[in-house]
Amino acid sequence: MAVTAEALMDELHIDIDDAEKLTVQNLIDYAKEIVTDSITDDLTTEQLEMKYPKLFDLATKNLATSMYYDRELTNGTSKGYQMVIIHLSAKVAIDMKKGSDDDGNNETQTI
């Protein structure tokens, strides 16, 4: 399940018009690139999205939302984003160490 501009805008109660939709889509695209670069050099965005869909989408939504409301990230990234990045980074590192190829079926979210 990939993050879409319309779904994120609906979740954030942002009025949908062409200009805002383009802005949000660009922020989502930037967020995906940043999330990928923050996690690993060994997997592509598409691979991360496919293998860890819940965590990747959550990180993407967190970062895109932060950038929507504060383009310069004046106070840095949110604690929620940082937590998801750490969790996703750990899962990727563990899976790479194990040589896991289960297509993300071992993705679990801890509370």
Side-chain angles (χ1 to χ4, degrees):
M1 166 185 136
V3 178
T4 65
E6 285 184 6
L8 185 57
M9 292 173 76
D10 186 50
E11 189 175 315
L12 299 174
H13 305 286
I14 297 170
D15 292 334
I16 298 176
D17 64 43
D18 290 340
E20 281 303 288
K21 187 175 175 182
L22 181 60
T23 297
V24 171
Q25 186 58 57
N26 285 336
L27 293 172
I28 289 169
D29 293 343
Y30 299 143
K32 286 181 177 184
E33 187 174 331
I34 293 167
V35 168
T36 301
D37 290 346
S38 298
I39 301 299
T40 182
D41 292 331
D42 298 321
L43 299 173
T44 66
T45 298
E46 293 76 19
Q47 289 171 317
L48 281 173
E49 241 177 331
M50 188 180 350
K51 189 163 174 73
Y52 309 96
K54 293 175 189 171
L55 290 172
F56 188 86
D57 286 355
L58 184 57
T60 299
K61 286 178 8 175
N62 275 319
L63 186 56
T65 298
S66 293
M67 290 190 302
Y68 181 80
Y69 291 112
D70 180 9
R71 299 289 198 284
E72 296 176 1
L73 296 174
T74 307
N75 295 314
T77 56
S78 70
K79 298 288 185 194
Y81 172 75
Q82 292 172 30
M83 179 200 64
V84 175
I85 288 295
I86 290 168
H87 192 84
L88 184 53
S89 295
K91 290 197 73 51
V92 168
I94 290 167
D95 286 350
M96 291 184 125
K97 187 174 182 178
K98 289 192 303 189
S100 174
D101 64 346
D102 66 357
D103 294 330
N105 292 328
N106 65 348
E107 179 179 0
T108 57
Q109 292 189 327
T110 54
I111 298 175

